[in-house]
Amino acid sequence: MSITGSRRQAAIAFIFVTAVLDIVAMGIIIPVLPSLIEEFAGSNADAGWINGVFIALWAFMQFVCSPIIGSLSDRYGRRPVILLSTAGLAADYVLMALAPNLWWLALGRIVAGITSSSFTTVFAYMADITPPEGRARAYGLIGAAFSAGFVAGPLMGGFLGEISPRAPFWVAAAMSGLAFLYGAFVLPESLPREKRMSFSWRRANPFGAMMLLRSHPELTGLAAVTFLLHFAHHVFSAVFVLYAAYRYNWHAWEVGTLLAMVGVLDMIVQGLIVGPAVQRFGDRATMVFGLFAGAFGIACMGLAPTGFWFSLAIIPNALWGLAMPTTQSLMTQRVSEFEQGQLQGANMSVASIAGVASPLFFGAVYAWTVRDGTPLPYPGLSFYLAAAVLFGAALLGWVVARKADRADAAEKAA
């Protein structure tokens, strides 16, 4: 039996709160994890490439596990997958709080990559309970939930990090545990039994799941846009905390405050602007504009001579938030309701490939630019390169949008 009417609104509220709690837990550790890595590694430059490796480990596990989890949710339902993942995250944060060296931190990032793969199920859950024409707004709400989590999380992490670099991990464990308990009591199942698919390893392996993206030319192009978007975005996770400490002498509190400001702007864009923008301009135009705006904003970050100017650059960069929900919406409109979980798993696999390659690339670039005796002492180079990648995504999105418009017009004429 499908979720309708008031139950749909309640389900949206439940998944929103669950997502917020999970993201708060993830956001808490952002201001302190690179610093903890630097403490173990012994230098800022070494921490740059090691942090990139850790993020790549996390993304690789997402690449492997996301389609499996997506297909499992198509077979057994969304609710059990979400609950198991939040419980696993809670256990992982305890592990990282107790980590005595880099090897234990690495293990923690591997476990986190597996358990956080449930975000594919969150998006599939929203597709289950939302009609196609309302999915951009629904994904915008999930994006707003992520942003809300990244407002509270980094602020809390920055404050707790000033007390102890381990404290944020304990609080993150408690938040994930709370998300599990909340979901266990109030989160309804969204996928009726009659709409479930049998589990298949062909669909569950990352490359098999990605075959779905070849079923329509627009899906292939949008998958490439998704890859470039995530590749550019990982410049923040790979180098931002270390870069801010190196160039602007920022500590956990300043980093957490800026990340909270980014979260507020993202919440405004994805929660309040995406829906009206799509109604006025359509999914495709909104996506392309968001990509161009993000490229401009991230280029300004690389050019910023002081922390104040870097902070101002987050304003145009926030419009980047228009791109992700509209890209997701366009892709869901090209597959059946039986394939939504597989699509989200394939999307996460694409994002995870970017998440493996990008941190390794940007971490190495950053380490090279700040190492003693470097021939290219420009620590902002990572941001310039990320801006170029995002600009390429905007151009590709524009080309895909034009082809899609022509294909849709031809289909209607026929």
Side-chain angles (χ1 to χ4, degrees), residues 63-107:
F63 171 70
V64 173
C65 296
S66 289
I68 296 175
I69 289 177
S71 293
L72 285 172
S73 76
D74 284 340
R75 173 63 182 89
Y76 297 105
R78 319 300 186 197
R79 185 175 185 273
V81 170
I82 293 172
L83 293 179
L84 286 172
S85 294
T86 52
L89 276 174
D92 176 62
Y93 290 131
V94 172
L95 169 67
M96 296 183 70
L98 298 172
N101 53 47
L102 286 172
W103 292 107
W104 280 96
L105 281 181
L107 177 61

Side-chain angles (χ1 to χ4, degrees), residues 80-390:
V81 170
I82 293 172
L83 293 179
L84 286 172
S85 294
T86 52
L89 276 174
D92 176 62
Y93 290 131
V94 172
L95 169 67
M96 296 183 70
L98 298 172
N101 53 47
L102 286 172
W103 292 107
W104 280 96
L105 281 181
L107 177 61
R109 298 317 291 156
I110 291 172
V111 175
I114 296 171
T115 53
S116 62
S117 297
S118 66
F119 288 127
T120 60
T121 309
V122 169
F123 283 108
Y125 190 107
M126 294 303 284
D128 291 341
I129 64 175
T130 309
E133 64 274 11
R135 285 176 186 161
R137 182 176 180 277
Y139 291 140
L141 288 175
I142 293 299
F146 283 22
S147 300
F150 277 116
V151 172
L155 273 178
M156 294 171 63
F159 172 75
L160 294 167
E162 297 292 339
I163 300 172
S164 166
R166 307 282 182 155
F169 294 94
W170 289 110
V171 176
M175 297 295 292
S176 289
L178 181 61
F180 169 78
L181 292 175
Y182 178 86
F185 284 103
V186 302
L187 187 66
E189 178 56 64
S190 65
L191 186 64
R193 291 186 178 276
E194 64 271 16
K195 291 186 177 180
R196 298 181 187 181
M197 298 178 65
S198 59
F199 181 83
S200 166
W201 281 110
R202 183 185 63 82
R203 294 188 303 110
N205 79 78
F207 297 104
M210 290 171 64
M211 292 297 291
L212 177 67
L213 300 177
R214 300 178 58 186
S215 63
H216 192 283
E218 187 180 9
L219 276 181
T220 305
L222 290 171
V225 171
T226 299
F227 173 84
L228 295 174
L229 190 156
H230 283 280
F231 190 96
H233 193 270
H234 275 289
V235 71
F236 295 104
S237 57
V239 307
F240 166 63
V241 176
L242 297 169
Y243 174 82
Y246 177 86
R247 189 166 187 185
Y248 306 129
N249 197 32
W250 283 3
H251 300 287
W253 175 248
E254 289 91 344
V255 169
T257 301
L258 181 72
L259 290 173
M261 292 167 57
V262 171
V264 169
L265 291 174
D266 282 346
M267 189 164 49
I268 292 171
V269 170
Q270 299 202 51
L272 300 177
I273 298 179
V274 168
V278 169
Q279 288 183 350
R280 176 67 178 84
F281 303 106
D283 284 324
R284 296 184 179 98
T286 304
M287 174 191 70
V288 172
F289 175 79
L291 292 169
F292 276 119
F296 174 76
I298 202 169
C300 291
M301 289 178 175
L303 293 169
T306 66
F308 171 76
W309 287 104
F310 189 97
S311 300
L312 285 182
I314 70 174
I315 296 174
N317 190 68
L319 294 173
W320 189 352
L322 295 170
M324 179 55 71
T326 45
T327 306
Q328 290 271 356
S329 176
L330 287 169
M331 297 183 81
T332 62
Q333 294 169 29
R334 298 293 178 179
V335 301
S336 72
E337 61 181 357
F338 301 101
E339 298 171 312
Q340 294 298 328
Q342 183 184 358
L343 172 64
Q344 299 306 330
N347 275 339
M348 190 63 78
S349 293
V350 170
S352 298
I353 293 173
V356 172
S358 176
L360 293 175
F361 173 75
F362 287 123
V365 168
Y366 175 75
W368 182 46
T369 58
V370 300
R371 196 176 299 279
D372 291 340
T374 178
L376 197 63
Y378 301 106
L381 180 61
S382 296
F383 291 92
Y384 306 149
L385 294 173
V389 169
L390 201 58

